[in-house]
Amino acid sequence: MKDAIEKLKKNLQELEVSTAEQLEEFRMRFIGRKSEIAGLFGKFKDVPAEQKKEVGQQINALKELAQERFNTFIAQINTSKFQANKPHDLTLPGRPDELGSIHPLTHTRMRIIKIFERMGFNVSDGPEIEDDWHNFTALNFPENHPAREMQDTFFIEKNPDITLRTHTSSVQVRVMENQKPPIRTLSPGRVFRNEAISARAHCVFHQVEGLFVDENVSFKDLKDTLYHFAKEMFGQHTKIRFRPSFFPFTEPSAEIDISCLICKGKGCNICKHTGWVEIGGSGMVDPQVFINCGIDAEKYTGFAFGMGIERITMLRYQINDLRLFTENDVRFLQSMNQLY
Ligand code: PHE
């Protein structure tokens, strides 16, 4: 009997329990009515009388020990269950919110607008789906004239009069049809051309065009305005150059170049070793356009200009691939955000 008690005691002390099933096994083996300890009580009657007191105390101590261990195991299992199910560790620091950032093209557009707003320009908007009149005809592109080919765009077969605008000059037509001079307006927006997508071209891009109509507006005003813009946008040392060009809606017309920001005019890969990079087109509004829009061409003169927002952003931040603007790579967008 004493040996059996010793053996059970040792078992009891050595056993470890970590799951609910093991706990139940433990209960059946040491605590329940058919447990080994209960069995010891059953055999108690066979213990010789002189040992009864001692053996009785030992069995009772064993029973207490079993109960004690049982209670400890219950507590342990409950604690670990709690930890496993706990949804959050409330003592961990919080996760920072990931804030979005302003897209580089939006940032450039806002900067351009700010510069021209200080010169008294307002901002006007127009539809991206245009009709032939506003995109071409009113701007002096005769039907079937090769000038239309410079701005090949997307038409629908059913109604060739409807087109995706190729430039925001169409907005200027709408402004001139609806407002009386003096007009000083800027039209930023998305434009479309039939171009294969590459590092330098895209079938969708953004422009800002400007229009200034008043009495006695001269080419000098055009030069002054764009010179001021170039210095504000690209830095005070920027130089500007006009190259004769052709647009159906301006006469005379000129391409606008700025001195290369990278080599400061000395010549590098970006400016193809010329020291100059093109930022847009410009010119004095052709009187025929005024007539088309119902503005007195004898009384008023004006100038217009247009530039690509992608192009200006690429020059300013030395980005060499246009596709980065539409790929939505967060690493690119975040690195850009650190520059403004
Ligand atoms: N609309 C012309 C283009 O998209 C740019 C331009 C605007 C040129 C105004 C002259 C005057 O190519």
Side-chain angles (χ1 to χ4, degrees), residues 112 116-117 119-125 134 138-139 168-188 207-215 217-218 221-222 225-226 249-251 256 281-291 293-295 300-307:
I112 297 173
F116 281 100
E117 267 177 353
M119 292 190 270
F121 283 72
N122 63 14
V123 175
S124 38
D125 205 4
H134 291 98
L139 288 163
T168 55
S169 302
S170 54
V171 181
Q172 304 177 5
V173 174
R174 289 177 180 276
V175 170
M176 287 191 281
E177 283 173 338
N178 294 306
Q179 291 175 27
K180 298 243 158 310
I183 293 169
R184 274 186 230 181
T185 195
L186 214 55
S187 39
Q207 278 192 334
V208 172
E209 297 216 355
L211 174 72
F212 192 134
V213 184
D214 206 343
E215 289 176 46
V217 178
S218 71
D221 299 317
L222 162 64
T225 306
L226 290 174
F249 39 90
T250 48
E251 182 61 36
I256 316 156
S282 65
M284 301 305 292
V285 180
D286 192 304
Q288 186 59 46
V289 175
F290 283 145
I291 294 166
C293 299
I295 287 182
Y300 294 107
T301 48
F303 67 79
F305 55 88
M307 31 203 175

Coordinates of all heavy atoms in Angstrom, one line a residue, residues 112 116-117 119-125 134 138-139 168-188 207-215 217-218 221-222 225-226 249-251 256 281-291 293-295 300-307:
I112 N 1.5 76.2 -61.9 CA 1.3 77.0 -63.1 C 0.1 78.0 -62.8 O 0.2 79.2 -63.1 CB 1.0 76.1 -64.3 CG1 2.2 75.2 -64.6 CG2 0.7 76.9 -65.5 CD1 2.0 74.2 -65.7
F116 N 0.1 82.2 -62.9 CA -0.7 83.0 -63.8 C -1.8 83.8 -63.1 O -2.3 84.9 -63.5 CB -1.3 82.2 -65.0 CG -0.3 81.9 -66.0 CD1 0.4 80.7 -66.1 CD2 0.0 82.9 -67.0 CE1 1.4 80.5 -67.1 CE2 1.0 82.7 -67.9 CZ 1.7 81.5 -68.0
E117 N -2.3 83.2 -62.0 CA -3.3 83.9 -61.2 C -2.8 85.3 -60.7 O -3.5 86.3 -60.7 CB -3.8 83.1 -60.0 CG -5.0 82.2 -60.4 CD -5.5 81.3 -59.3 OE1 -4.8 81.3 -58.2 OE2 -6.5 80.7 -59.4
M119 N -0.9 87.1 -62.3 CA -0.9 88.0 -63.4 C -2.4 88.3 -63.9 O -2.6 88.8 -65.0 CB -0.1 87.5 -64.6 CG 1.4 87.4 -64.2 SD 2.4 87.0 -65.7 CE 2.4 85.2 -65.6
G120 N -3.3 87.9 -63.1 CA -4.7 88.3 -63.4 C -5.5 87.3 -64.3 O -6.5 87.6 -64.8
F121 N -4.9 86.1 -64.4 CA -5.6 85.1 -65.2 C -6.6 84.3 -64.3 O -6.3 84.0 -63.1 CB -4.6 84.0 -65.8 CG -3.9 84.5 -67.0 CD1 -2.9 85.5 -66.9 CD2 -4.2 84.0 -68.3 CE1 -2.2 86.0 -68.0 CE2 -3.5 84.5 -69.4 CZ -2.5 85.4 -69.2
N122 N -7.8 83.9 -64.9 CA -8.7 83.0 -64.1 C -8.6 81.6 -64.8 O -7.8 81.5 -65.8 CB -10.1 83.5 -64.1 CG -10.7 83.7 -65.5 OD1 -10.2 83.1 -66.5 ND2 -11.8 84.4 -65.6
V123 N -9.3 80.7 -64.3 CA -9.2 79.3 -64.8 C -10.6 78.9 -65.4 O -11.6 79.1 -64.8 CB -8.9 78.3 -63.7 CG1 -8.9 76.9 -64.2 CG2 -7.5 78.6 -63.1
S124 N -10.5 78.4 -66.6 CA -11.8 77.9 -67.2 C -11.7 76.5 -67.6 O -10.6 76.0 -67.9 CB -12.2 78.8 -68.4 OG -11.1 79.2 -69.1
D125 N -12.9 75.9 -67.7 CA -13.0 74.4 -67.9 C -13.9 74.2 -69.1 O -14.7 75.0 -69.5 CB -13.6 73.9 -66.6 CG -13.2 72.4 -66.4 OD1 -12.4 71.9 -67.2 OD2 -13.8 71.8 -65.5
H134 N -15.4 73.2 -82.1 CA -14.5 73.8 -81.0 C -13.1 73.3 -81.0 O -12.2 74.0 -80.6 CB -15.2 73.5 -79.6 CG -16.4 74.3 -79.4 ND1 -17.7 73.7 -79.6 CD2 -16.7 75.5 -79.1 CE1 -18.6 74.6 -79.4 NE2 -18.0 75.7 -79.0
A138 N -13.3 76.1 -85.6 CA -13.3 77.5 -85.1 C -11.9 78.0 -85.0 O -11.6 79.2 -85.0 CB -14.0 77.6 -83.8
L139 N -11.0 77.1 -84.8 CA -9.5 77.4 -84.6 C -8.8 77.4 -86.0 O -7.6 77.4 -86.0 CB -8.9 76.4 -83.7 CG -9.3 76.6 -82.2 CD1 -8.9 75.3 -81.4 CD2 -8.7 77.8 -81.6
T168 N -6.5 72.0 -75.3 CA -7.5 72.7 -74.5 C -7.7 74.1 -75.2 O -8.4 74.9 -74.6 CB -7.2 72.9 -73.0 OG1 -5.9 73.4 -72.9 CG2 -7.2 71.5 -72.3
S169 N -7.2 74.3 -76.4 CA -7.6 75.5 -77.1 C -9.1 75.5 -77.4 O -9.7 76.6 -77.5 CB -6.9 75.5 -78.5 OG -5.5 75.5 -78.4
S170 N -9.7 74.3 -77.4 CA -11.2 74.2 -77.5 C -11.9 75.0 -76.4 O -12.9 75.6 -76.6 CB -11.6 72.8 -77.5 OG -11.1 72.1 -76.4
V171 N -11.3 75.0 -75.2 CA -11.9 75.7 -74.1 C -11.9 77.2 -74.4 O -12.8 78.0 -74.0 CB -11.2 75.4 -72.8 CG1 -11.9 76.1 -71.6 CG2 -11.2 73.9 -72.5
Q172 N -10.8 77.7 -75.0 CA -10.6 79.1 -75.3 C -11.7 79.5 -76.3 O -12.2 80.7 -76.2 CB -9.2 79.4 -75.8 CG -8.2 78.9 -74.9 CD -6.8 79.1 -75.4 OE1 -6.6 79.6 -76.5 NE2 -5.8 78.6 -74.7
V173 N -12.0 78.7 -77.2 CA -13.1 79.0 -78.2 C -14.4 79.2 -77.4 O -15.1 80.2 -77.6 CB -13.3 77.9 -79.2 CG1 -14.5 78.2 -80.1 CG2 -12.0 77.8 -80.1
R174 N -14.7 78.3 -76.5 CA -15.9 78.4 -75.7 C -15.9 79.7 -74.8 O -16.9 80.3 -74.7 CB -16.0 77.2 -74.7 CG -16.4 75.9 -75.5 CD -16.4 74.7 -74.6 NE -16.8 73.5 -75.5 CZ -18.0 73.2 -75.8 NH1 -19.0 73.9 -75.4 NH2 -18.2 72.2 -76.6
V175 N -14.7 80.0 -74.3 CA -14.7 81.3 -73.5 C -15.0 82.5 -74.4 O -15.8 83.3 -74.0 CB -13.3 81.4 -72.8 CG1 -13.2 82.8 -72.1 CG2 -13.1 80.3 -71.7
M176 N -14.3 82.5 -75.5 CA -14.5 83.7 -76.4 C -15.9 83.8 -76.9 O -16.4 84.9 -77.2 CB -13.5 83.6 -77.6 CG -12.1 83.9 -77.1 SD -10.9 84.2 -78.5 CE -10.6 82.5 -79.0
E177 N -16.6 82.6 -77.1 CA -18.0 82.6 -77.6 C -18.9 83.2 -76.5 O -19.9 83.7 -76.8 CB -18.4 81.2 -78.0 CG -17.9 80.7 -79.3 CD -18.2 79.3 -79.6 OE1 -18.5 78.5 -78.6 OE2 -18.2 78.9 -80.7
N178 N -18.5 83.1 -75.3 CA -19.4 83.4 -74.2 C -19.0 84.6 -73.4 O -19.8 85.0 -72.5 CB -19.5 82.2 -73.2 CG -20.2 81.0 -73.9 OD1 -21.3 81.2 -74.4 ND2 -19.6 79.9 -73.9
Q179 N -17.8 85.1 -73.5 CA -17.4 86.3 -72.7 C -16.9 87.4 -73.6 O -16.5 87.2 -74.7 CB -16.3 85.9 -71.8 CG -16.7 84.9 -70.7 CD -15.5 84.4 -69.8 OE1 -14.5 85.1 -69.7 NE2 -15.7 83.3 -69.3
K180 N -17.1 88.6 -73.0 CA -16.5 89.8 -73.8 C -15.1 90.1 -73.3 O -14.8 89.9 -72.1 CB -17.4 91.0 -73.5 CG -18.9 90.8 -73.9 CD -19.2 91.9 -75.0 CE -20.4 91.5 -75.8 NZ -20.4 90.1 -76.4
P181 N -14.2 90.6 -74.2 CA -12.9 91.0 -73.7 C -13.1 92.2 -72.7 O -14.1 92.9 -72.8 CB -12.2 91.4 -75.0 CG -13.0 90.9 -76.1 CD -14.4 90.7 -75.6
P182 N -12.1 92.4 -71.8 CA -10.9 91.7 -71.7 C -11.0 90.3 -71.1 O -11.8 90.1 -70.2 CB -10.1 92.6 -70.7 CG -11.1 93.3 -69.9 CD -12.3 93.5 -70.8
I183 N -10.2 89.4 -71.7 CA -10.2 88.0 -71.3 C -8.8 87.6 -70.9 O -7.8 87.9 -71.7 CB -10.7 87.1 -72.4 CG1 -12.2 87.3 -72.7 CG2 -10.4 85.6 -72.0 CD1 -12.6 86.6 -74.0
R184 N -8.6 87.1 -69.7 CA -7.3 86.5 -69.3 C -7.6 85.2 -68.7 O -8.1 85.2 -67.5 CB -6.7 87.4 -68.3 CG -5.8 88.5 -68.8 CD -5.1 89.2 -67.7 NE -5.3 90.6 -67.8 CZ -4.8 91.5 -67.0 NH1 -4.0 91.1 -66.0 NH2 -5.0 92.8 -67.1
T185 N -7.5 84.1 -69.4 CA -7.9 82.8 -68.9 C -6.9 81.7 -69.1 O -6.2 81.8 -70.1 CB -9.3 82.5 -69.4 OG1 -9.8 81.4 -68.5 CG2 -9.3 82.0 -70.8
L186 N -6.9 80.8 -68.2 CA -6.0 79.6 -68.3 C -6.9 78.4 -68.4 O -7.9 78.3 -67.7 CB -5.3 79.6 -67.0 CG -3.8 79.1 -67.0 CD1 -3.0 79.9 -67.9 CD2 -3.3 79.2 -65.6
S187 N -6.6 77.5 -69.3 CA -7.4 76.2 -69.4 C -6.6 75.0 -69.3 O -6.0 74.6 -70.2 CB -8.3 76.2 -70.7 OG -7.5 76.7 -71.7
P188 N -6.5 74.5 -68.0 CA -5.8 73.2 -67.8 C -6.7 72.0 -68.1 O -7.9 72.1 -67.9 CB -5.4 73.3 -66.3 CG -6.5 74.2 -65.7 CD -7.1 75.0 -66.8
Q207 N -2.5 69.4 -70.6 CA -2.0 70.7 -71.1 C -2.5 71.8 -70.2 O -3.5 71.7 -69.5 CB -2.7 71.0 -72.5 CG -2.0 70.3 -73.6 CD -2.5 70.9 -74.9 OE1 -3.6 71.4 -75.0 NE2 -1.7 70.9 -75.9
V208 N -1.8 73.0 -70.3 CA -2.4 74.2 -69.8 C -2.3 75.2 -70.9 O -1.2 75.4 -71.5 CB -1.6 74.8 -68.6 CG1 -2.1 76.2 -68.3 CG2 -1.8 73.9 -67.4
E209 N -3.4 75.7 -71.4 CA -3.3 76.8 -72.4 C -3.7 78.1 -71.8 O -4.5 78.1 -70.8 CB -4.2 76.4 -73.6 CG -3.7 75.1 -74.2 CD -3.9 75.1 -75.7 OE1 -4.5 76.1 -76.3 OE2 -3.5 74.1 -76.4
G210 N -3.3 79.2 -72.4 CA -3.6 80.5 -71.8 C -4.1 81.4 -73.0 O -3.7 81.2 -74.1
L211 N -4.9 82.3 -72.6 CA -5.5 83.3 -73.6 C -5.6 84.6 -73.0 O -6.1 84.8 -71.9 CB -6.9 82.8 -74.1 CG -7.6 83.7 -75.0 CD1 -7.0 83.7 -76.4 CD2 -9.1 83.2 -75.1
F212 N -5.1 85.6 -73.7 CA -5.2 87.0 -73.3 C -5.7 87.8 -74.4 O -5.2 87.9 -75.5 CB -3.8 87.5 -72.9 CG -3.7 88.8 -72.2 CD1 -2.8 88.9 -71.1 CD2 -4.4 89.9 -72.6 CE1 -2.7 90.1 -70.4 CE2 -4.3 91.1 -71.9 CZ -3.5 91.2 -70.8
V213 N -6.9 88.4 -74.2 CA -7.5 89.2 -75.3 C -7.9 90.6 -74.7 O -8.6 90.7 -73.7 CB -8.8 88.6 -75.9 CG1 -9.4 89.4 -77.0 CG2 -8.6 87.1 -76.3
D214 N -7.4 91.7 -75.4 CA -7.8 93.0 -74.9 C -7.4 94.0 -76.1 O -6.9 93.5 -77.1 CB -7.0 93.4 -73.7 CG -7.7 94.4 -72.8 OD1 -8.6 95.1 -73.4 OD2 -7.3 94.5 -71.6
E215 N -7.6 95.3 -75.8 CA -7.2 96.2 -76.9 C -5.6 96.4 -76.7 O -5.1 96.3 -75.6 CB -7.8 97.6 -76.6 CG -9.3 97.5 -77.0 CD -10.0 98.8 -76.6 OE1 -9.5 99.9 -77.0 OE2 -11.1 98.8 -76.0
V217 N -3.1 94.5 -77.3 CA -2.2 93.4 -76.8 C -1.2 93.1 -77.9 O -1.5 92.9 -79.1 CB -3.0 92.1 -76.5 CG1 -2.0 91.0 -76.0 CG2 -4.0 92.4 -75.4
S218 N 0.1 93.1 -77.5 CA 1.1 92.9 -78.6 C 2.0 91.6 -78.3 O 1.9 91.0 -77.3 CB 2.0 94.1 -78.6 OG 2.9 94.1 -77.5
D221 N 3.8 91.6 -75.1 CA 3.1 91.2 -73.9 C 3.2 89.6 -73.8 O 3.4 89.1 -72.7 CB 1.6 91.6 -74.0 CG 1.5 93.1 -74.0 OD1 2.2 93.8 -73.2 OD2 0.7 93.6 -74.8
L222 N 3.1 89.0 -74.9 CA 3.3 87.5 -74.9 C 4.6 87.1 -74.4 O 4.8 86.3 -73.5 CB 3.1 87.0 -76.4 CG 3.6 85.6 -76.7 CD1 2.8 84.6 -75.9 CD2 3.4 85.4 -78.2
T225 N 5.0 87.9 -70.6 CA 4.2 87.0 -69.7 C 4.9 85.7 -69.6 O 5.1 85.1 -68.5 CB 2.8 86.8 -70.4 OG1 2.2 88.1 -70.6 CG2 1.9 86.0 -69.5
L226 N 5.4 85.1 -70.8 CA 6.0 83.8 -70.7 C 7.4 83.8 -70.1 O 7.8 82.9 -69.4 CB 6.0 83.2 -72.1 CG 4.6 82.9 -72.6 CD1 4.6 82.4 -74.1 CD2 3.9 81.8 -71.8
F249 N -4.3 78.7 -85.8 CA -5.1 79.7 -85.0 C -4.3 80.8 -84.5 O -4.8 81.7 -83.8 CB -5.8 79.0 -83.8 CG -5.0 77.9 -83.2 CD1 -4.1 78.3 -82.1 CD2 -4.9 76.6 -83.6 CE1 -3.3 77.3 -81.5 CE2 -4.1 75.6 -83.0 CZ -3.3 76.0 -82.0
T250 N -3.0 80.9 -84.7 CA -2.2 82.0 -84.3 C -1.3 82.5 -85.5 O -0.9 81.8 -86.3 CB -1.3 81.7 -83.1 OG1 -0.6 80.5 -83.4 CG2 -2.0 81.6 -81.8
E251 N -1.1 83.8 -85.5 CA -0.3 84.4 -86.6 C 0.3 85.7 -86.1 O -0.5 86.6 -85.8 CB -1.1 84.6 -87.8 CG -0.4 85.2 -89.0 CD 0.8 84.3 -89.5 OE1 0.6 83.0 -89.4 OE2 1.8 84.8 -89.8
I256 N 8.0 77.9 -77.8 CA 8.7 78.5 -76.7 C 9.8 77.5 -76.2 O 9.5 76.4 -75.9 CB 7.7 78.7 -75.5 CG1 6.4 79.3 -76.0 CG2 8.3 79.6 -74.4 CD1 5.2 79.0 -75.1
G281 N 3.8 75.9 -77.3 CA 3.6 76.7 -78.5 C 2.9 78.0 -78.1 O 2.3 78.1 -77.0
S282 N 3.0 79.0 -79.0 CA 2.4 80.3 -78.7 C 2.2 81.1 -79.9 O 2.6 80.7 -81.0 CB 3.3 81.1 -77.7 OG 4.5 81.4 -78.4
G283 N 1.5 82.2 -79.8 CA 1.3 83.1 -80.9 C 0.2 84.1 -80.7 O -0.5 84.1 -79.7
M284 N 0.1 85.1 -81.7 CA -0.9 86.1 -81.6 C -2.2 85.5 -82.2 O -2.1 84.9 -83.3 CB -0.5 87.3 -82.4 CG 0.7 88.0 -81.9 SD 0.7 88.4 -80.1 CE -0.6 89.7 -80.1
V285 N -3.3 85.6 -81.5 CA -4.6 85.0 -82.0 C -4.9 85.5 -83.4 O -4.9 86.7 -83.7 CB -5.7 85.3 -81.1 CG1 -7.0 84.6 -81.6 CG2 -5.4 84.8 -79.6
D286 N -5.1 84.5 -84.3 CA -5.4 84.9 -85.7 C -6.8 85.6 -85.8 O -7.8 85.1 -85.1 CB -5.5 83.6 -86.5 CG -5.6 83.8 -88.0 OD1 -6.5 84.6 -88.5 OD2 -4.7 83.3 -88.7
P287 N -6.9 86.7 -86.5 CA -8.2 87.5 -86.5 C -9.3 86.6 -86.9 O -10.5 86.8 -86.5 CB -7.9 88.6 -87.5 CG -6.4 88.8 -87.6 CD -5.8 87.4 -87.2
Q288 N -9.1 85.6 -87.8 CA -10.2 84.8 -88.2 C -10.8 84.0 -87.0 O -12.0 83.8 -87.0 CB -9.7 83.8 -89.3 CG -10.7 82.9 -89.9 CD -11.8 83.8 -90.6 OE1 -11.5 84.7 -91.3 NE2 -13.1 83.5 -90.3
V289 N -10.0 83.7 -86.1 CA -10.5 83.0 -84.9 C -11.4 83.9 -84.1 O -12.5 83.5 -83.6 CB -9.3 82.5 -84.0 CG1 -9.8 81.8 -82.7 CG2 -8.5 81.4 -84.8
F290 N -11.0 85.2 -84.0 CA -11.9 86.2 -83.3 C -13.2 86.2 -84.0 O -14.3 86.2 -83.4 CB -11.2 87.5 -83.3 CG -10.2 87.7 -82.2 CD1 -9.0 88.5 -82.5 CD2 -10.3 87.1 -81.0 CE1 -8.1 88.6 -81.5 CE2 -9.3 87.2 -80.0 CZ -8.2 88.0 -80.3
I291 N -13.2 86.3 -85.3 CA -14.4 86.4 -86.1 C -15.3 85.2 -85.9 O -16.5 85.3 -85.6 CB -14.1 86.6 -87.6 CG1 -13.4 88.0 -87.8 CG2 -15.3 86.5 -88.5 CD1 -12.7 88.1 -89.2
C293 N -15.5 83.4 -83.4 CA -16.0 83.4 -82.0 C -16.9 84.6 -81.7 O -17.3 84.8 -80.5 CB -14.9 83.3 -81.0 SG -13.9 81.8 -81.2
G294 N -17.0 85.5 -82.7 CA -17.9 86.7 -82.4 C -17.2 87.8 -81.7 O -17.9 88.6 -81.0
I295 N -15.9 87.9 -81.8 CA -15.2 89.0 -81.2 C -14.7 90.0 -82.3 O -14.2 89.5 -83.3 CB -14.0 88.5 -80.4 CG1 -14.5 87.8 -79.1 CG2 -13.0 89.6 -80.0 CD1 -13.5 87.2 -78.1
Y300 N -9.9 94.3 -81.1 CA -9.1 93.5 -80.1 C -7.9 92.7 -80.8 O -8.0 92.2 -81.9 CB -10.0 92.5 -79.4 CG -11.0 93.2 -78.6 CD1 -12.4 93.2 -78.9 CD2 -10.7 93.8 -77.4 CE1 -13.4 93.8 -78.2 CE2 -11.6 94.5 -76.6 CZ -13.0 94.5 -77.0 OH -13.9 95.1 -76.2
T301 N -6.9 92.6 -80.0 CA -5.8 91.6 -80.3 C -5.6 90.7 -79.1 O -6.1 91.0 -78.0 CB -4.5 92.3 -80.7 OG1 -4.2 93.3 -79.7 CG2 -4.6 93.0 -82.0
G302 N -4.8 89.7 -79.3 CA -4.6 88.8 -78.2 C -3.5 87.8 -78.4 O -3.1 87.6 -79.6
F303 N -3.1 87.2 -77.4 CA -2.1 86.1 -77.6 C -2.6 84.8 -76.9 O -3.4 84.9 -76.0 CB -0.7 86.5 -77.1 CG -0.5 86.7 -75.6 CD1 -0.4 85.6 -74.8 CD2 -0.5 88.0 -75.1 CE1 -0.2 85.9 -73.4 CE2 -0.3 88.2 -73.8 CZ -0.2 87.2 -72.9
A304 N -2.0 83.7 -77.3 CA -2.4 82.4 -76.7 C -1.1 81.6 -76.6 O -0.1 81.8 -77.3 CB -3.4 81.7 -77.6
F305 N -1.1 80.7 -75.7 CA 0.0 79.7 -75.5 C -0.5 78.4 -75.0 O -1.6 78.4 -74.4 CB 1.1 80.3 -74.6 CG 0.6 80.7 -73.3 CD1 0.5 79.8 -72.2 CD2 0.1 82.0 -73.0 CE1 0.0 80.1 -71.0 CE2 -0.4 82.3 -71.8 CZ -0.5 81.4 -70.8
G306 N 0.3 77.4 -75.2 CA -0.1 76.1 -74.7 C 1.1 75.3 -74.3 O 2.1 75.4 -75.0
M307 N 1.1 74.6 -73.2 CA 2.2 73.7 -72.8 C 1.8 72.4 -72.2 O 0.7 72.4 -71.6 CB 3.2 74.5 -71.9 CG 2.6 75.5 -71.0 SD 3.9 76.7 -70.6 CE 2.9 77.8 -69.6

